[in-house]
Amino acid sequence: QEVFYEGNLAVTEYALEQNYPNPFNPSTVLKYQIPQNGFVTLKVYDILGKEVTTLVNEEKTKGRYEVNFNALNLVSGVYLYRIKVNDYVAVKKMLLLK
């Protein structure tokens, strides 16, 4: 089994990765990276744009992060997750199948 150590690789750009697994039930992992410190908000919305939950809402130092999202109380369907930090904004879709 290989182990990859990414600690010394410089984070040079903002990125919001596709959640994994996708489709998911009931939990999935969201990964993002930020190249400089900033106030991060990571929120989940339903397909109509209604906010479902806030996963991150705090100052973060530059680096790579993983957030676990548990959708146990939600119905099946498409959800959006949106990150905002400094001038960077990104949105991705994920599918909850129960």
Side-chain angles (χ1 to χ4, degrees), residues 18-25 27-28 77 94-98:
Q18 186 63 52
N19 66 299
Y20 182 83
N22 188 35
F24 68 99
N25 177 31
S27 66
T28 186
M94 57 183 164
L95 181 59
L96 172 60
L97 280 181
K98 290 195 169 178

Side-chain angles (χ1 to χ4, degrees), residues 76-95:
S76 294
V78 174
Y79 292 85
L80 305 171
Y81 56 104
R82 177 181 184 267
I83 191 169
K84 181 177 188 320
V85 54
N86 301 326
D87 294 332
Y88 177 75
V89 177
V91 178
K92 301 249 184 188
K93 290 182 185 176
M94 57 183 164
L95 181 59

Side-chain angles (χ1 to χ4, degrees), residues 56-71:
V56 181
N57 192 37
E58 62 189 17
E59 193 75 28
K60 293 285 190 185
T61 56
K62 71 178 185 179
R64 293 177 175 81
Y65 295 90
E66 288 187 9
V67 183
N68 196 49
F69 171 54
N70 190 317

Side-chain angles (χ1 to χ4, degrees), residues 29-42:
V29 174
L30 311 179
K31 294 183 181 180
Y32 66 92
Q33 66 182 36
I34 57 174
Q36 59 192 45
N37 301 354
F39 194 89
V40 177
T41 54
L42 179 59

